[in-house]
Amino acid sequence: MLRIGLTGGIGSGKSTVAAMFAERGVPVIDTDEIAKDLAAPGAPAYKRIVRAFGDVILNSAGEIDRARLRARVFSHNVERHRLESILHPLIRAEVARRVKTLQVEYCIIVIPLLYEAKFENIVDRVLLIDADELQQVSRAAARSHMTEDEIHDIMAAQFDAESRRQRADDVLENRTDFAQLQSGVDRLHEKYRSLANSKDGR
């Protein structure tokens, strides 16, 4: 089975593209959702994160306040690396477990920080969703309660667009209309099905 790592900067449209692949019957594994599940009360990472960052990151229900934690770690590299050291090994293990349950030609694994977290070795190809920086900020602000400063902090922690483009196997532009994006997903869907049935998958 071919494993496609779907990545891109904040607000690039990763979730939209992943949903399009899902509509075509392709299994989607979302590492952000996995991270959220791992940090829920009683889940494997919950106590370790609270020990590392203190009760100040909890809301009134005793749950980890993701917005508060995000604001803290993306403005301090040391704290971000501390959180990653807790979550990344668990995320890798869970992705591997889910992949083993699949019997399909290919799957999509959504990994926002694929290069930054050095997750290239858990996928066979990388699909980059690319957009203009102004579009990214606008989309991220529209779908969340983050300020522009918070969005730029996250962008600063990610590889720049050119570095991502140089390392990706496939690039899907998300700069124009929805129909063009759908057409691009259709093209890639056929490409990945063909590659999955070839000898080397490349």
Side-chain angles (χ1 to χ4, degrees):
M1 181 182 63
L2 191 66
R3 301 164 299 173
I4 306 298
L6 189 157
T7 194
I10 183 173
S12 59
K14 297 181 295 298
S15 297
T16 298
V17 173
M20 290 179 178
F21 278 104
E23 289 169 359
R24 289 154 179 77
V26 182
V28 173
I29 299 170
D30 190 326
T31 58
D32 265 357
E33 289 301 314
I34 290 174
K36 184 177 179 180
D37 292 342
L38 288 169
Y46 176 82
K47 286 185 178 179
R48 293 177 61 189
I49 293 173
V50 175
R51 278 200 302 268
F53 298 97
D55 291 346
V56 68
I57 63 167
L58 300 179
N59 62 23
S60 59
E63 302 164 330
I64 292 173
D65 186 318
R66 285 167 57 84
R68 193 176 302 168
L69 180 59
R70 180 177 58 236
R72 178 167 170 176
V73 302
F74 277 106
S75 58
H76 299 89
N77 285 340
V78 172
E79 303 230 299
R80 188 177 80 253
H81 293 319
R82 183 183 302 159
L83 178 62
E84 290 171 349
S85 71
I86 295 170
L87 285 174
H88 286 179
L90 296 172
I91 291 172
R92 283 175 174 270
E94 179 60 16
V95 168
R97 187 193 69 77
R98 295 189 187 189
V99 166
K100 284 183 180 179
T101 68
L102 301 175
Q103 294 184 340
V104 292
E105 291 175 313
Y106 79 95
C107 69
I108 296 290
I109 307 173
V110 183
I111 313 174
L113 298 177
L114 186 147
Y115 296 121
E116 297 83 350
K118 298 179 172 57
F119 272 27
E120 295 105 313
N121 63 349
I122 69 170
V123 299
D124 301 300
R125 291 182 70 86
V126 174
L127 166 59
L128 171 67
I129 314 304
D130 199 26
D132 292 326
E133 184 174 320
L134 288 177
Q135 290 176 310
Q136 291 179 243
V137 174
S138 175
R139 291 169 183 161
R143 72 159 195 250
S144 70
H145 300 295
M146 286 188 288
T147 66
E148 286 196 15
D149 285 344
E150 289 173 323
I151 294 167
H152 281 294
D153 281 343
I154 292 174
M155 294 176 77
Q158 299 177 328
F159 275 31
D160 64 85
E162 185 56 32
S163 296
R164 287 194 295 259
R165 290 179 70 91
Q166 289 177 359
R167 297 175 70 164
D169 297 292
D170 304 295
V171 178
L172 183 58
E173 303 282 356
N174 185 18
R175 303 171 189 269
T176 53
D177 59 65
F178 194 74
Q180 276 200 306
L181 197 60
Q182 289 270 18
S183 178
V185 171
D186 281 333
R187 174 179 54 82
L188 288 167
H189 179 51
E190 293 307 315
K191 176 179 182 177
Y192 294 151
R193 292 186 66 194
S194 177
L195 287 173
N197 289 293
S198 69
K199 288 185 178 180
D200 62 6
R202 303 295 292 183

